[in-house]
Amino acid sequence: MAKNLSENPDFIIMKMKNPHAKESHITLRRYKGHDKVVTVPDGVEKISNLVFADDIEPNKTIEKIVIPDSVTEISPQAFAYCLSLKTIDFPKNLKVFSVEFKHCPSIEEIWIPESVEELGCIWNFEPLSKIHLGGNIIKVKLTDFPKPKKFNTFYGKKSINDVLFQNPAYSLMDGFMVNKNRRTVLYSMNTSKEMRVPEGMETLSEYAFHEIKLHPDEIPVEKVFLPKTVRTIKPTAFAFCKSLKEVVYDGFAEDLEVGIYAFMSCVNFHEDGSDIICIDRKPKKKTNDTSKLDRVIFIHRCLKTGKHYSKNELRAKIENELRTKVSTQAVKRDIDYMRDYFKAPIPEYDIYLEDGLAWDGFYYTDLDFELRF
């Protein structure tokens, strides 16, 4: 059993290894005290979920939590069921802010540190009436924003607009939410079939044109114009843009850095962006092959059934149901990609019995696993 690293018995602190990485973190697992003001011990690097309370034992005492600058990761439900919590002093070195407040009825206002560069799942804005936000956000994971009520809006992009507009670093320009200070396109508002990125922007953020969830009022983009000031397209920037047919860049191909899988699941594009029309490059010939992500989603659905599948069985099912040619080597690479990118719970190798014979196959060790984009 792991040893408690704290001298204060009210705090259960352990060195925990990240199951998806090699490094370990000094992690706060539980607070058992009854103070109104709780100061997390310096040296803690991560705060786990349900540290201060849970649905079985809600905390009605804590009014303020002070977090030291040594903390670099806070789990989404870290403060859940703290019924009297009003104030949180967040650490100054936090890069990702992905916190829920739906079980904190007394908190109304938060200050997100200037260091934060990525907004993750603020799953429920209630009861927050104001969010103080720094000017350094370069990534917004819109798929993590459900329908809010507090800001009188009806969809993720419009609700997060209300948050970003509280800082003058962010504004809507030609249908795009941008960080003017960092010259970054955070996301498109999908206002027309053809969209032109504003002049002066240098980076298309991850999820900039992400279309896995579109409101009925939004329009799938078909053509995008990029000014020559753009130099970087981040991974997944155009993910799931099924209707996208053309991207025109007013510059040279060598000046544009395209992130891996920037165009994943775009039926008219290679994932590496080699189809972008530049001054000095024509697009590659289009193919009718399904993308890697289409195959990954299909394999995921197969493994969710709880059955075991060999590479050949998965290849046959893909060719039959997706109507595309694929090799067993490609299927194996897809499975490796699922493990590496999505952390899918697929054992490296397995033998299973069927009709008295031994077969090698793949399966999910956790059937509750879901792909997160």
Side-chain angles (χ1 to χ4, degrees), residues 50-120:
L50 305 174
V51 163
F52 304 96
D54 54 41
D55 57 335
I56 305 300
E57 297 182 78
N59 187 296
K60 300 180 181 179
T61 305
I62 299 175
E63 296 181 1
K64 181 177 181 179
I65 297 175
V66 180
I67 305 174
D69 291 342
S70 58
V71 172
T72 58
E73 182 178 348
I74 300 176
S75 300
Q77 298 186 58
F79 312 110
Y81 302 102
C82 291
L83 305 184
S84 300
L85 181 63
K86 298 179 181 179
T87 304
I88 304 172
D89 288 353
F90 289 102
K92 297 178 181 178
N93 299 316
L94 205 61
K95 295 294 183 182
V96 179
F97 193 88
S98 180
V99 183
E100 299 179 15
F101 298 100
K102 59 185 177 183
H103 297 303
C104 302
S106 299
I107 195 165
E108 297 181 353
E109 194 170 11
I110 61 171
W111 282 260
I112 298 177
E114 285 280 344
S115 58
V116 170
E117 297 180 349
E118 175 184 339
L119 283 181

Side-chain angles (χ1 to χ4, degrees), residues 4 6 42 45 73 99 126 146 150 153 161 171-172 181 185 236 243 249-250 254 271 275 281 287 335 341 359 370:
N4 184 13
S6 177
D42 192 22
E45 298 170 332
E73 182 178 348
V99 183
E126 292 191 83
K150 199 68 179 180
T153 51
N161 286 354
S171 66
L172 277 176
N181 294 350
V185 172
T236 71
S243 301
Y249 176 52
D250 188 22
E254 65 176 12
E271 293 178 340
D275 305 275
R281 185 177 68 192
T287 70
I335 290 172
Y341 191 85
W359 300 84
E370 296 292 345

Side-chain angles (χ1 to χ4, degrees), residues 173-176 178 185 196-202 225 227 229-230:
M173 296 175 61
D174 302 329
F176 295 92
V178 304
V185 172
R196 186 178 296 274
V197 171
E199 189 72 33
M201 293 297 106
E202 298 175 353
F225 297 91
T229 55
V230 171

Side-chain angles (χ1 to χ4, degrees), residues 334-350:
D334 291 341
I335 290 172
D336 291 340
Y337 171 69
M338 292 172 70
R339 291 197 198 97
D340 296 339
Y341 191 85
F342 293 104
K343 311 305 178 187
I346 307 173
E348 287 291 337
Y349 182 76
D350 189 58

